[in-house]
Amino acid sequence: MLNHRPELDDEAALLMLDAARAHAQSIGVPQNIAVVDAAGRMLAFCRMKGAKFHSIDTSTAKAVTAASIAAPTGGAPSEFGMLLGVTTQGQFTNLKGGLPVMIDGQLAGAIGVGSGAPDEDVAVAQAAIDALMAAL
């Protein structure tokens, strides 16, 4: 029997970007925000004015990593996190700020946020997921 897995689309990604931007603005922390589908392919990206340019790549890596492992980023032991970045040439990361998007218990995609402190990145990502869940 085929199992229909939910997938994020462009409308969901834009809704998430808008919510993430609004939360980042409310806390005064400009962010880089990446939304990917369940396979880690980019759906939407925003670099807010003032966001750190080096966080473009890390926010994307956070989203891809969260989609790949279907779990939040930043939970691996530090020695594993360093190895993860090196062996994947920076495509995966152990930095906090990547969250999977789970719909009906299944991976639908992920979001990665970077440019603030780790807890700020996570809060912005969670605001985006909360907005998506409220819209479903």
Side-chain angles (χ1 to χ4, degrees), residues 7 27 54 117 130:
E7 280 282 331
I27 63 172
H54 67 273
D130 292 347

Side-chain angles (χ1 to χ4, degrees), residues 25-116:
Q25 288 170 338
S26 76
I27 63 172
V29 180
Q31 295 280 18
N32 292 292
I33 307 154
V35 179
V36 300
D37 65 15
R41 293 184 200 98
M42 185 70 70
L43 289 171
F45 181 85
C46 175
R47 178 175 180 242
M48 296 174 67
K49 182 179 180 179
K52 299 171 186 166
F53 70 88
H54 67 273
S55 295
I56 294 170
D57 293 334
T58 58
S59 63
T60 302
K62 290 174 185 184
V64 170
T65 303
S68 176
I69 65 174
T73 59
S78 60
E79 62 275 3
F80 176 74
M82 181 74 88
L83 183 60
L84 179 66
V86 170
T87 58
T88 64
Q89 298 174 337
Q91 291 181 5
F92 285 15
T93 185
N94 191 40
L95 298 171
K96 288 186 177 183
L99 297 177
V101 178
M102 307 298 286
I103 299 174
D104 297 329
Q106 296 184 53
L107 181 69
I111 183 167
V113 177
S115 194

Side-chain angles (χ1 to χ4, degrees), residues 111-125:
I111 183 167
V113 177
S115 194
D119 290 341
E120 293 168 334
D121 295 350
V122 172
V124 170

